[in-house]
Amino acid sequence: PSCTGPASAEEYLAQLGPYDRTKRPACGNETVAGPTVVEVQFFLTQFNAVNQKLGQVKLHGYLRTWWTDPRLAFNSSCSDSITISEDFSSTSRPAFEKIWKPDLYIDNLVEYTQEGVDMLEIKPDGTVFMSSQLSFQVKSSINLAKLPYDEHICQIKVASYSHSASRMRVIPRRGMIGSGNSGIGLVAAPLTHAIWTIGPTTSGAGFETAGVAETVEFSSGSAWDYVSLQIPFARRPEYYIHQVIYPSLLFLLVSYLQFWVDPAIAPARSFLAVVPVLIQMSLQHTLYNGLPEGAQNMWLADWVMMTIYLCIIAACEFGLVQYLLSREQRHAANLAGLRKAREVADRLFKACNQDGLTLLEMLAECNAQEASAHPVPMAPSQQRAHQQGCRFQLPEESHASATDSRAVTATGPHGGPTLMRSHWRQCRDALKGEAAQEAKGGEEQRDPAAAPPSDEGSCEGGGARRRRRGAIAGEDRQGEVERAVRCNLSEADLLFIQYTRGIFDRYDKDGSGRCQPSEVRQALTYFNIFLSTSETASVMGMFLRDEGQKTPCDELQLALSFDQFTLLLCKVNVYTVHAKSKGRGVGGLVARLQALAPSKRLDCLARMLSPAAVALMLPTFYLFLPLYQ
C-alpha cells in the first residue's frame, strides 16, 4: 500500500511552505508570549588532556539540543521522523540553514573546533533534536590542594547568546525550569585514561551526571539561564607516589644513614648529609615545573618541603657534631696534659704528705710565674746559697732593693727561669740575714775592745737580739725554703693542675671544697671523660677504697676533695674501662646518654628521633589530607 506525507528530507523541505527562521518558535500556547524551552545535553566520547598550569581541559563529543517548533509539525505515514544531515562542505548547506536553531554558546570556551556534520531530526509533532560534533577546550577550576589525591569537576557552561530567560529557558535534558540540579546533563561513553579516572567510579564504564541550572540576574534587570554540564574526574596517584613520595622517603633514609657513620670520617659523613638535600631540592623543582605558580597550599608540595627540612636538619646536626667533636679533642688534650704532669703531681702529693698541707695550700705556695730569661749576676752570698741548694738568684742592691716586690728569678728543673712568689722573699731575707751576721761578726773580730754590753739601747745588745730573732725566723723559714726547693716547678708544670683546680672550683658550688658525684661527673666532661651519675659514684667508691678509705653503702653520698679529684684524674682510666650504665626505662636511657660524649650523644638521639619523626610524619600528613581545600 502507498503511504502519504513526506518520506525524505527533500520532500519535507519542499512542502514546508513559508517559514521565517528569524523568529523563535511559539511556546506551548502557540504564541510567542512565553519563553521557548530548550533542553541541552553533552555526549562525551573523549577526555583528551588536562593542562594543570593553565587550568584547561580538552574534550571531544556531541552537543545535543531539543526544542519544539510547531511550525515544523507534519503528517506522514511514510516516516516517523525526518532527518536532515548536512555536510559543512556540501553545497546544499543553505537548506539546513532554513530552520530556526537556538543560538547556544559555551561560556567558558577557550578553543573550539567543529568537526563532522550537524544533524537535525524532526518529529511529526514538531519536536526537533539537533546534534553537533565538537572538539574544544574549556576553562576549568583545577584545585591541586590534595595533589596527588585531587579530584575535580570539569564544567561545560551552556547559555543562550541573545535570548534572556524571559524569551528562552535553557534546562538540562528532562530537567526542570529554574535553578537546581535536575535531568541528565552529561552522558559519557566508557572512557579510560593513563592519568585520570573519568566519572564517579573507577570501573571505566559509561556514566551520566545531572545538569546544574542557574539563573543569573544582571544589573540591567534581565536574567539569563546557564546550564553546567559536569564531568567528574580524579587523578591516578600512582605516578606521584612512585616518582615523588617514594624517592623522598628513600633519600630521607640516605640522610639517616649518616648518623651511623663515624663523625671523624668527615668526607663520607658530609656526602651523606649534603647530597640528599640537593636531590630533594631537585625533586621539588621538577614537581613545580608542571604545577601552576601561585600561593595555593598543596599537600604534595608540603610533603616535599617537609622532607627537605628533615634533610637540612640532619645536615645541621652534622655541623653541630663536628663542633662538639672539636671540643672533645681539646678536652682530651687537657687530660693528656694532666697525665703527662703525673710526675709533678706525685711530687706535690709527696710534699703535701710530708708537710701536712692540702694540695690547694701547696699550690698557693708554689705559684709559678714567668720571669726574665736573662740571668742576673749573683752576689757572693747568692753563690753560696746556690752551692748549698737554694736555687734562687737574688739581685744585687743595684738591681733590686731589700723591700722591692718585683720578680726574682730562679732556675727551674727544666732549665727555664721561674719564680716562686711565696718564697723568694723568705729566701732573700734568710740570705740577707746571713750576710748581715757575717758582716757583724767581722766587725766584732776587727774591734775586740768594743764597749761592753749596756742597756737595751746599746748597739751590742740590739745586735744580739737581732741575731737571736733572725735565727728563730730562719728556722721557721727554712722549712718553707726547703719546700720551695722540693716543689721547684715551672709554669708549664702547674698549668694543667691549675686548670684542674679551676674546673673543680666551678662545680664546687657550695664552696665546701668537696664535690658530689653529680658535680664530679660534670667536671670530668672537661677532660673528655663521660660517665653517668651512678657510674661516677661507683668509680669514686672504687678509688676511695683503693686509697684505704671506708665508703658508705649508698655511693651517691660520696664526695671528693680537690686532692682526691686530681689523683683520680691521673688514674681514672683504670676505673672507667669496665664502667657500664645500668637501668631500664627513662632513667636507664638518661644514664646511657650521660655516659656518651656529646657528639655521640647527639648522634644517638638523632638515630632515635629521626625514624620517629618520619613515622609521625606519614600518618599526620594523611590525617590532615582532608583539610586541604
Side-chain angles (χ1 to χ4, degrees):
S2 61
C3 61
T4 59
S8 63
E10 290 79 6
E11 294 179 2
Y12 175 78
L13 292 173
Q15 71 171 20
L16 185 58
Y19 184 89
D20 188 357
R21 60 179 295 272
T22 62
K23 294 181 179 181
R24 62 182 178 86
C27 57
N29 59 6
E30 298 182 357
T31 67
V32 293
T36 301
V37 178
V38 178
E39 299 179 4
V40 296
Q41 186 183 77
F42 187 76
F43 180 68
L44 179 66
T45 58
Q46 296 180 25
F47 189 92
N48 293 326
V50 177
N51 190 325
Q52 297 178 142
K53 297 189 74 171
L54 300 178
Q56 298 176 3
V57 181
K58 188 174 183 179
L59 306 170
H60 183 86
Y62 300 90
L63 182 60
R64 299 169 170 177
T65 54
W66 290 263
W67 72 93
T68 300
D69 190 346
R71 296 173 296 176
L72 298 179
F74 65 94
N75 293 318
S76 175
S77 60
C78 298
S79 176
D80 57 357
S81 64
I82 299 298
T83 301
I84 303 175
S85 178
E86 294 291 337
D87 191 335
F88 294 119
S89 62
S90 173
T91 56
S92 61
R93 174 72 178 176
F96 187 81
E97 298 295 337
K98 289 182 178 181
I99 300 175
W100 179 91
K101 295 179 288 295
D103 55 346
L104 301 179
Y105 77 103
I106 300 175
D107 187 62
N108 57 334
L109 183 68
V110 174
E111 185 179 346
Y112 166 80
T113 302
Q114 192 168 13
E115 301 177 352
V117 297
D118 279 348
M119 182 195 73
L120 276 174
E121 184 181 68
I122 304 173
K123 297 292 186 178
D125 60 358
T127 300
V128 182
F129 165 67
M130 184 176 71
S131 177
S132 300
Q133 187 179 23
L134 304 176
S135 181
F136 58 95
Q137 291 186 32
V138 293
K139 187 71 176 179
S140 181
S141 176
I142 305 296
N143 187 349
L144 300 174
K146 296 182 180 180
L147 182 74
Y149 304 99
D150 48 324
E151 300 177 354
H152 313 277
I153 294 178
C154 175
Q155 294 186 344
I156 306 172
K157 298 186 73 172
V158 180
S160 171
Y161 187 79
S162 60
H163 297 291
S164 64
S166 61
R167 298 196 298 168
M168 180 185 294
R169 302 306 302 261
V170 183
I171 62 173
R173 175 63 172 164
R174 296 174 184 169
M176 298 182 298
I177 296 175
S179 300
N181 297 0
S182 62
I184 302 174
L186 184 132
V187 177
L191 299 172
T192 58
H193 200 278
I195 301 175
W196 305 97
T197 298
I198 316 301
T201 64
T202 60
S203 62
F207 62 92
E208 298 177 351
T209 61
V212 180
E214 180 183 11
T215 302
V216 180
E217 296 280 349
F218 290 92
S219 58
S220 60
S222 59
W224 300 74
D225 284 339
Y226 289 86
V227 176
S228 296
L229 313 177
Q230 299 183 338
I231 308 171
F233 63 102
R235 190 187 304 273
R236 296 180 184 271
E238 292 81 7
Y239 172 81
Y240 284 101
I241 290 175
H242 292 95
Q243 297 298 320
V244 178
I245 295 179
Y246 285 169
S248 63
L249 290 175
L250 288 176
F251 284 108
L252 274 180
L253 175 61
V254 173
S255 179
Y256 172 73
L257 292 178
Q258 67 165 309
F259 303 138
W260 299 90
V261 177
D262 188 350
I265 311 175
R269 184 74 180 261
S270 61
F271 177 85
L272 293 175
V274 175
V275 169
V277 176
L278 299 178
I279 294 179
Q280 295 281 35
M281 294 293 291
S282 177
L283 190 64
Q284 184 190 45
H285 179 72
T286 303
L287 172 65
Y288 274 105
N289 276 342
L291 300 178
E293 299 177 0
Q296 182 182 23
N297 290 330
M298 289 182 286
W299 184 88
L300 187 60
D302 290 348
W303 171 280
V304 175
M305 185 57 67
M306 179 57 68
T307 59
I308 291 175
Y309 288 155
L310 291 177
C311 289
I312 291 176
I313 291 173
C316 293
E317 188 269 352
F318 168 64
L320 184 56
V321 165
Q322 289 298 308
Y323 167 73
L324 295 175
L325 192 61
S326 66
R327 288 190 58 187
E328 293 163 15
Q329 291 171 350
R330 293 196 299 269
H331 292 166
N334 294 335
L335 182 62
L338 182 63
R339 287 175 176 171
K340 287 181 181 179
R342 174 70 181 274
E343 181 182 351
V344 177
D346 289 341
R347 292 206 309 269
L348 286 173
F349 285 124
K350 183 177 180 181
C352 290
N353 293 332
Q354 291 177 356
D355 298 338
L357 299 176
T358 65
L359 186 56
L360 290 176
E361 296 170 342
M362 181 63 68
L363 287 177
E365 294 188 359
C366 299
N367 185 16
Q369 301 281 340
E370 291 186 359
S372 172
H374 302 286
V376 179
M378 292 186 294
S381 60
Q382 295 170 331
Q383 293 177 358
R384 289 193 302 272
H386 189 273
Q387 293 171 358
Q388 294 171 3
C390 183
R391 309 293 293 279
F392 292 93
Q393 298 177 356
L394 292 178
E396 295 292 349
E397 292 297 331
S398 59
H399 296 284
S401 64
T403 60
D404 194 359
S405 61
R406 289 178 296 176
V408 180
T409 57
T411 304
H414 303 294
T418 62
L419 168 67
M420 309 299 178
R421 277 186 174 174
S422 59
H423 300 292
W424 73 267
R425 295 184 181 88
Q426 292 87 342
C427 189
R428 181 192 64 195
D429 294 342
L431 295 176
K432 294 285 285 185
E434 180 184 349
Q437 291 176 8
E438 290 175 355
K440 188 66 176 180
E443 292 176 359
E444 291 175 351
Q445 292 176 359
R446 288 193 299 270
D447 190 10
S454 61
D455 297 334
E456 33 177 89
S458 66
C459 295
E460 183 176 351
R465 284 194 297 271
R466 285 196 297 271
R467 283 194 297 272
R468 285 194 297 271
R469 286 197 300 269
I472 295 172
E475 292 176 359
D476 293 338
R477 296 188 184 102
Q478 184 63 32
E480 297 179 357
V481 173
E482 291 177 355
R483 188 182 307 125
V485 172
R486 290 197 308 271
C487 301
N488 189 15
L489 306 171
S490 68
E491 182 179 7
D493 292 331
L494 293 179
L495 180 62
F496 292 103
I497 297 179
Q498 293 286 12
Y499 175 79
T500 305
R501 177 184 177 182
I503 298 300
F504 184 85
D505 291 342
R506 177 182 300 180
Y507 289 101
D508 181 17
K509 298 178 181 179
D510 57 359
S512 63
R514 304 180 69 82
C515 286
Q516 304 296 324
S518 61
E519 298 170 335
V520 173
R521 181 191 68 80
Q522 298 179 68
L524 289 176
T525 61
Y526 283 84
F527 300 91
N528 209 38
I529 301 171
F530 301 96
L531 302 169
S532 66
T533 303
S534 59
E535 288 174 343
T536 305
S538 177
V539 168
M540 291 168 59
M542 290 186 290
F543 166 74
L544 292 175
R545 287 191 290 272
D546 287 348
E547 293 296 312
Q549 298 187 25
K550 294 183 179 181
T551 59
C553 296
D554 184 6
E555 293 180 332
L556 293 176
Q557 303 299 321
L558 294 172
L560 293 182
S561 65
F562 173 68
D563 303 41
Q564 295 167 334
F565 178 72
T566 305
L567 187 58
L568 173 62
L569 280 175
C570 294
K571 55 177 71 174
V572 69
N573 58 324
V574 177
Y575 300 102
T576 59
V577 65
H578 297 299
K580 292 184 179 180
S581 298
K582 298 179 180 179
R584 296 180 180 179
V586 177
L589 177 61
V590 171
R592 284 190 290 272
L593 291 176
Q594 288 179 341
L596 295 175
S599 60
K600 294 182 179 179
R601 188 183 309 158
L602 189 59
D603 274 345
C604 183
L605 288 173
R607 292 169 193 165
M608 294 185 293
L609 296 179
S610 184
V614 176
L616 180 64
M617 183 184 74
L618 282 169
T620 301
F621 263 82
Y622 280 94
L623 182 65
F624 282 92
L625 178 60
L627 301 181
Y628 282 80
Q629 300 295 335

